[in-house]
Every structure is written in C-alpha cells, then in structure tokens.
Amino acid sequence: MDTNGIKLFVLAAETLNISAAGQQLGLTPSVASAWLSKLETQVGADLFHRTTRKVSLSIEGKEFLPYAKEILAQQESALAALGRGNPNVSGTLRFAASSTFAQRYVMPILPEFLERYPDINVELMLSDSQVKLIEGGFDLALRNLAAEDSSLIGRRLASDTRVLCASPKYIETHGTPKIPEDLTQHQLLVFMNAKTRKLITQSNQQTYNFPPANTKPRVVCDDGASMRIAAKAGLGICMSSLWNIHEDLVDGSLVRVLPDYQIDDQSAVWLVYPKSNVLTAKVRVFIDYLLEKIGTPPIWEP
C-alpha cells in the first residue's frame, strides 16, 4: 500500500477538500483523484462521498482514518530510527486528558513545551469522560487507571492518592464524621458513574465503602473541577484526588474527613498509547516533558 496515497487521504480527510490536499503534495486535481481511487481499490471501499458541492468521509473512511494516521506515524519512526527524515521533532500531537487535570497541570506548562519544540502542534481533547484512543485517532491519553485494554500500553506518570474532604463551613454546620458509618448521615458529593471505593485503616480489619450502600448522594457530578468548587462552597463531603485539592488543604479551604482511613484503590495517573503504534518522536518528547515538569514525587504529595 502506497504511503503517499495514505498521506493524501489523511490530508483530504482533515480538509474535506481533495484538490487542496493534493496541492499540498504538489499534485494536480486529476492526479490526486487518481491516487485516492487507487487507494480505495486497494482497501476495497469508498473512503469519501463525493458530490459536485461537497466531499465527506464515508463510514469506511472514518474507520480507516486512525489506522492511516498510524501507518504514517510508523513510517516516520522507521525513518527516524535510520537517521533519515527531518532531524527536528515535528507533527501534530493528538492528546486526550482529564479536563480537570489538564487545566491545573498541562495547560500552564504547554507554552514552554511548544517553545522548546516549535514544529509540534497539539490537538487537545479535554474531558473527564474516558475516550477511545484508536477509534478517535489519538496519539496519547492521560488516565487515572492503568491500561486495562490489551491494545494499549501504559506508562505511570504519578501517584493519585485520594482522600475524603469537606469545607470547614460544612463541618461547622453538620459536624465531623468520627467513623465511616457516620457518612450515611451526611450530604455526599459523588462523581458520576464512579465505582465504589473501599475505606481501610491499619487499626481495623473491617472494610467500609464510599459512598456507603443504600445512600443517596446530594450531588452527582461528572467534572472534577466543579466537584472541588462544590465542596469548598460547603455542599457536602466528597472524595477527591490530592492533585486536585492539595492547595486547598494547605490553605484550609478544605479539610480531611476520616483522615485515619485510606482509599484502597491503588490509583495512579497513567499515560497510555496504542500498542500497535511505534512510539513516535513527538509522543516520546511529550511524555518525557510531562515526567520532567510534574516531578517524582509529584508536587501534590506531602
């Protein structure tokens, strides 16, 4: 399969303009159309819907696009390994991450990264919901769980210790839980679709859960930043990552609840990428940069 045709397909898919994509590669419109027709014959499917007014990706084209990008990435890495190609790291890096984590730790350091690597562009998909890497055509994603999918590879970025917390205002109004059973009498803030976490203590072999069984949360939310704001405003007790609230614990706007109990889920912040991808230079330097800036141990750990 000719990678030049694949490169033309990717450009045309991004611009939805076959002539303009061909022009970027120095091709006339007729030659660009012929290249795409040849590629469609090789894959056995129409990759585009073409009319006199517009061009759009077919269902097969949408399915083929992430794999086409992967083929080009592998070619780039192979040439780099042989000392060929552009010696400068370049390309567009598609990165998916938790919006909450990205706002606090990625966006502030992104300008320095782009200054260090002026030929890299970054596309960010920021959401606290997990995205599909291969289907979405992402080079890299940040998650708070290791790569459970066999098609992905994970690299641990940092710890993700979680604690229960509330505002002093809430504690003053509703009192301080002394034991986990007391949580059933309190207003709880819970992350949407979150699994139940175990609460454990070294001095007691009994295991408790958060949120407790048969309790109805006062607030359910799918955004970590909003959950933090709600807790600081006194709406209730929530479970949060230290990376999200460590500054609030230091300045006293939030306080630990049941500090003798630990969240027993061994969470960590992971960087994951498709196993079938060769780790391209742009992905490698971004991973190294995040490890450098976030620190070992990370700044949020006491």
Side-chain angles (χ1 to χ4, degrees), residues 73-213:
Q74 290 179 350
Q75 181 190 42
E76 176 189 329
S77 293
L79 293 175
L82 296 173
R84 298 169 57 191
N86 188 347
N88 298 318
V89 182
S90 62
T92 297
L93 174 71
R94 302 196 72 234
F95 179 54
S98 154
S99 59
T100 306
F101 189 94
Q103 289 167 23
R104 295 180 66 80
Y105 297 102
V106 178
M107 301 311 291
I109 64 175
L110 193 57
E112 183 180 341
F113 175 78
L114 295 177
E115 183 178 355
R116 186 181 298 186
Y117 300 101
D119 294 326
I120 292 181
N121 299 316
V122 179
E123 291 183 10
L124 299 169
M125 169 67 78
L126 304 181
S127 171
D128 282 340
S129 299
Q130 187 167 294
V131 300
K132 295 182 178 180
L133 265 70
I134 296 177
E135 292 86 342
F138 293 101
D139 300 298
L140 185 70
L142 184 145
R143 293 181 177 172
N144 60 7
L145 291 173
E148 299 175 344
D149 188 334
S150 61
S151 65
L152 303 177
I153 296 176
R155 175 152 182 194
R156 193 177 187 275
L157 175 64
S159 59
D160 185 17
T161 303
R162 302 183 183 204
V163 299
L164 299 182
C165 63
S167 71
K169 175 183 176 182
Y170 176 85
I171 296 299
E172 181 180 351
T173 303
H174 298 275
T176 302
K178 303 297 184 184
I179 54 176
E181 288 94 331
D182 293 342
L183 292 173
T184 59
Q185 308 302 316
H186 283 266
Q187 297 180 179
L188 303 181
L189 316 180
V190 177
F191 203 87
M192 188 175 293
N193 299 323
K195 67 178 183 180
T196 300
R197 271 19 187 237
K198 293 181 179 180
L199 295 175
I200 60 173
T201 180
Q202 295 180 349
S203 60
N204 192 330
Q205 297 300 317
Q206 188 171 355
T207 299
Y208 303 92
N209 291 327
F210 184 87

Side-chain angles (χ1 to χ4, degrees), residues 209-225:
N209 291 327
F210 184 87
N214 303 318
T215 58
K216 183 175 178 60
R218 188 68 188 273
V219 175
V220 177
C221 180
D222 69 346
D223 177 72

Side-chain angles (χ1 to χ4, degrees), residues 9 48 58 136 173 190 207 241 243 277:
F9 164 69
F48 292 98
S58 66
T173 303
V190 177
T207 299
S241 298
W243 58 255
N277 273 7

